[in-house]
Amino acid sequence: MQTSRFTTASAAVALLGCLVAFVAPLALGASPGIRGSVTLSAVVGAVFAGKNAQTIRDRGRPRFAAGVMATALGGWLIVAPLQYEAVGPALTATTQFGGMCLAAFSAYTALVAIEGYLGDADARGDDTGYA
């Protein structure tokens, strides 16, 4: 199965969102609590987004589970700055931007994975009859 350029670009943007969320607390001098929470979440999100990108490159279609997990971690990155008292607007904006990139584009790849499974049987090379 050949993947579209948008699906490949979505996987790349999800990884870039992780990078933005990882660098923001370090560059903006955040307190240790928010720095640890956001950077660790960005690293774990990058693991799932990276697995998704690798699967797209190798197999031509994304993984549903990796897309869903990356979406959930992107959602956490959107909410994480709101959990702490002393977070400035710059850190909130960059973390939420990275989280939105991770969540939105990973959700898209998860939907592409579902579409690939439920799509045309001839396109999948599958003759099970499930359409």
Side-chain angles (χ1 to χ4, degrees):
M1 176 177 168
Q2 184 66 21
T3 186
S4 71
R5 287 191 289 172
F6 188 76
T7 304
T8 305
S10 294
V13 171
L15 277 170
L16 287 174
C18 292
L19 181 64
V20 167
F22 180 81
V23 170
L26 301 173
L28 297 172
S31 66
I34 187 75
R35 185 172 56 231
S37 172
V38 170
T39 56
L40 183 61
S41 297
V43 167
V44 175
V47 167
F48 287 109
K51 179 62 178 173
N52 211 11
Q54 177 190 19
T55 305
I56 290 170
R57 187 189 70 216
D58 294 344
R59 294 174 42 192
R61 63 179 183 257
R63 285 194 173 277
F64 175 72
V68 169
M69 288 304 298
T71 301
L73 287 160
W76 167 247
L77 288 172
I78 293 168
V79 175
L82 305 175
Q83 304 299 314
Y84 297 92
E85 298 264 337
V87 178
L91 180 61
T92 300
T94 54
T95 302
Q96 287 181 335
F97 175 75
M100 284 188 281
C101 289
L102 178 60
F105 289 102
S106 293
Y108 174 77
T109 62
L111 290 175
V112 169
I114 291 172
E115 182 182 42
Y117 178 73
L118 297 177
D120 185 21
D122 294 332
R124 287 194 318 264
D126 186 8
D127 62 354
T128 60
Y130 297 111

